[in-house]
Amino acid sequence: MREEEANWFARWEEELPNPEELMPLSQTLITPDLALAFDIPNPSGGGGGAAANHNHNSPTATQAAAIPQVPAAAAAAVAAAAAAASSPPPSQPHSSEFDSGEMGSGGGPGDEPARTLKRPRLVWTPQLHKRFVDAVAHLGIKNAVPKTIMQLMSVDGLTRENVASHLQKYRLYLKRMQGLSGGGGGGGGGGGGPLSGADAATDHLFASAPVPHHFLHPGRPAPAADHFLPFVPVAALQQHHHHQQQMAVAAVAAAAHQQQQQQYHHQRQFGSPTGGQFEHPFLARQAQGVHRMAAAAAAAQVSGHQTGYVEDLESATGGGGGGGGGRKVLTLFPTGDD
DNA sequence: TAATGAATAT
DNA sequence: TATATTCATT
């Protein structure tokens, strides 16, 4: 049972579809609705192709605590520049251009700092974390490395570093859990001692996503995904409905944003705190990743038509703490409506 | 080289 | 505190 996972994983890579098929992912990420929700005046343009996460700024630290004001155009420009400078995959149909409407001249700081602009901090909403956990669960702790996780999540705009950072924290969380339940630690390691303080906040976030039991019980074969979702990265799905699912992080964040507002008046996921203009939450990026995806899995998914990640994302809100829930307030994309 | 994981910075 | 960024290994 569980061991099959190994095989599955082995085949996984080979079964992956051509990058071309996944390409559509890097198109526009924000739907009109979302744009409206965020007060984004000019959602068009966004896309951009693979944006490199390379942010090479001067070594001299240009990081002034925070640069809240980031014109969307600037962000797009950054993406373009980065992509061009780095290595633009020619195979991809860059349909969307980076040239958004307003560019530097407008009055704002927009000018050229575009190159040095930094994307807003990613906010790990329960929805995002859920995807993260799912990805890790399906990969297995052993194989769960930032790059792979990122690819599986298929969240546009998510960078490897975003995932790495979160993964680091998640691992600590798991370790803590183990320590708590396992009790003794045995020897070991010295590891981080059991922080009595724990973090309510942290626990909350992680609590929103069920931690696979095998995570805490190393040594036991993972249940694999045989009984759960065949794993259909959004990228794969997009082949069929290419449109509303692109939102990715932005969408998730947006949705979460609204919902959270009702429940926990959270801060905005992205956007300018100053209340000024909203910039693009993300630049497309995943283009370079995800080679071939599990076509078979996709097929299965389609047939099963109910296993998607997406669903999880949609319903994630529900229950609040424990889980459950079933109300889909978010709508990444209509499942079965089309 | 590029990616990872841990440490560190903001 | 949460996330980003840097750094040493691999």
Side-chain angles (χ1 to χ4, degrees):
Chain A
M1 293 199 219
R2 318 309 127 120
E3 300 161 9
E4 296 182 24
E5 185 187 44
N7 293 333
W8 168 82
F9 186 76
R11 292 183 55 186
W12 173 66
E13 279 189 327
E14 298 185 341
E15 303 275 22
L16 302 174
N18 300 326
E20 302 171 353
E21 305 195 287
L22 304 167
M23 261 3 325
L25 221 191
S26 58
Q27 304 248 340
T28 300
L29 341 88
I30 304 178
T31 62
D33 288 347
L34 280 172
L36 290 175
F38 275 70
D39 291 341
I40 298 173
N42 178 12
S44 57
N53 25 357
H54 291 174
N55 252 351
H56 266 194
N57 7 2
S58 304
T60 346
T62 321
Q63 15 198 301
I67 302 175
Q69 309 179 341
V70 182
V78 174
S86 211
S87 55
S91 328
Q92 302 223 8
H94 288 165
S95 42
S96 302
E97 289 306 312
F98 316 106
D99 65 326
S100 302
E102 39 275 58
M103 226 178 193
S105 35
D111 227 327
E112 56 62 69
R115 195 167 297 189
T116 54
L117 286 177
K118 292 144 71 115
R119 7 167 116 212
R121 286 163 66 105
L122 170 65
V123 175
W124 284 89
T125 63
Q127 288 78 15
L128 267 178
H129 180 66
K130 177 62 164 43
R131 277 189 85 126
F132 169 86
V133 172
D134 279 346
V136 174
H138 285 118
L139 286 169
I141 307 257
K142 300 182 304 181
N143 299 318
V145 291
K147 188 179 179 183
T148 310
I149 295 171
M150 177 192 74
Q151 291 174 165
L152 273 175
M153 287 178 74
S154 286
V155 175
D156 173 24
L158 239 199
T159 66
R160 186 170 59 77
E161 325 228 45
N162 285 142
V163 175
S165 181
H166 193 67
L167 178 61
Q168 182 178 20
K169 193 181 167 192
Y170 187 61
R171 281 173 173 157
L172 289 175
Y173 170 77
L174 291 180
K175 185 175 288 187
R176 267 221 319 266
M177 295 290 280
Q178 287 184 32
L180 290 174
S181 70
L195 303 176
S196 53
D199 346 345
T202 299
D203 284 354
H204 266 303
L205 203 203
F206 289 145
S208 64
V211 177
H213 61 284
H214 55 278
F215 274 29
L216 306 177
H217 292 260
R220 202 186 250 200
D226 52 319
H227 65 293
F228 247 91
L229 25 85
F231 220 49
V232 176
V234 180
L237 294 177
Q238 293 183 353
Q239 297 176 17
H240 293 158
H241 319 256
H242 74 348
H243 197 146
Q244 353 189 347
Q245 61 279 36
Q246 319 255 359
M247 34 180 45
V249 177
V252 174
H257 168 62
Q258 294 183 1
Q259 295 181 353
Q260 290 183 353
Q261 270 199 332
Q262 296 179 4
Q263 299 182 19
Y264 324 93
H265 98 285
H266 254 270
Q267 77 246 11
R268 308 147 150 107
Q269 320 285 5
F270 298 100
S272 60
T274 57
Q277 304 202 17
F278 230 94
E279 39 147 2
H280 269 164
F282 291 102
L283 310 177
R285 136 160 252 270
Q286 85 133 45
Q288 75 159 344
V290 185
H291 330 291
R292 317 156 159 148
M293 243 320 173
Q301 201 274 338
V302 172
S303 337
H305 172 201
Q306 164 175 356
T307 358
Y309 255 168
V310 182
E311 280 206 357
D312 290 339
L313 283 172
E314 295 177 7
S315 59
T317 296
R327 60 164 59 171
K328 343 180 131 176
V329 184
L330 309 188
T331 306
L332 273 182
F333 63 86
T335 57
D337 176 63
D338 184 355

